[in-house]
């Protein structure tokens, strides 16, 4: 009986430390659902990438059209860059995005790449 109580107490202590450690290491790696739903409403016929810029999460989105370009948004959905290479020089942020991954891509995308919906935006 005494050993069971000690084991339970040890388990609770380990779980508590694990939760504290996990939350202390996070920066902004959460999903901003409101921003993503807003971007999806604009770019549902296109693609949305999740990238890193200066250690923060940003989104780069573009429509499913040749020479459409893309726009970079911060976590709150504010436009912070324009990346339309067809119309000349682009904003410096366009060449500073890192670790980009597609989180949404419409079906029948002009790239020929498959449909992606990492966060279930199309549901």
């Amino acid at each position: 009986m005494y050993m069971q109580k000690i084991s339970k107490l040890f388990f609770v202590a380990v779980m508590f430390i694990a939760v504290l450690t996990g939350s202390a290491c996070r920066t902004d790696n959460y999903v901003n659902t409101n921003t993503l739903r807003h971007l999806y409403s604009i770019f549902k016929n296109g693609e949305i990438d999740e990238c890193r810029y200066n250690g923060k999460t940003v989104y780069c989105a573009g429509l499913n059209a040749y020479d459409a370009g893309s726009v970079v948004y911060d976590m709150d959905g504010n436009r912070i860059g324009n990346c339309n290479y067809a119309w000349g020089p682009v904003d410096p942020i366009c060449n500073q995005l890192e670790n980009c991954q597609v989180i949404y891509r419409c079906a029948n995308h002009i790239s020929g790449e498959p449909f992606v919906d990492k966060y279930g935006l199309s549901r």
Side-chain angles (χ1 to χ4, degrees):
M1 182 85 163
Y2 178 72
M3 288 304 287
Q4 285 179 334
K5 286 183 181 181
I6 295 291
S7 294
K8 286 181 184 178
L9 186 60
F10 178 75
F11 176 76
V12 169
V14 168
M15 293 307 291
F16 180 74
I17 291 169
V19 168
L20 285 179
T21 304
S23 62
C25 293
R26 287 188 206 126
T27 54
D28 67 344
N29 288 338
Y30 66 93
V31 176
N32 190 331
T33 307
N34 292 333
T35 297
L36 288 178
R37 292 208 181 282
H38 174 70
L39 293 178
Y40 172 75
S41 73
I42 299 168
F43 298 101
K44 62 184 162 195
N45 185 28
E47 182 174 292
I48 304 170
D49 296 346
E50 188 174 66
C51 304
R52 301 293 287 175
Y53 174 68
N54 287 338
K56 303 229 182 246
T57 299
V58 297
Y59 303 106
C60 186
L63 293 173
N64 187 26
Y66 291 106
D67 298 332
S70 59
V71 179
V72 182
Y73 297 89
D74 67 12
M75 285 291 288
D76 296 321
N78 299 310
R79 182 183 224 155
I80 58 173
N82 188 14
C83 307
N84 194 333
Y85 293 90
W87 295 100
V90 297
D91 293 337
I93 191 173
C94 303
N95 298 311
Q96 297 170 358
L97 300 176
E98 299 177 330
N99 302 325
C100 294
Q101 70 169 331
V102 177
I103 59 170
Y104 175 80
R105 182 185 303 120
C106 67
N108 301 315
H109 194 268
I110 59 173
S111 67
E113 296 293 319
F115 172 78
V116 175
D117 192 0
K118 180 178 179 179
Y119 298 123
L121 300 171
S122 64
R123 285 187 246 153

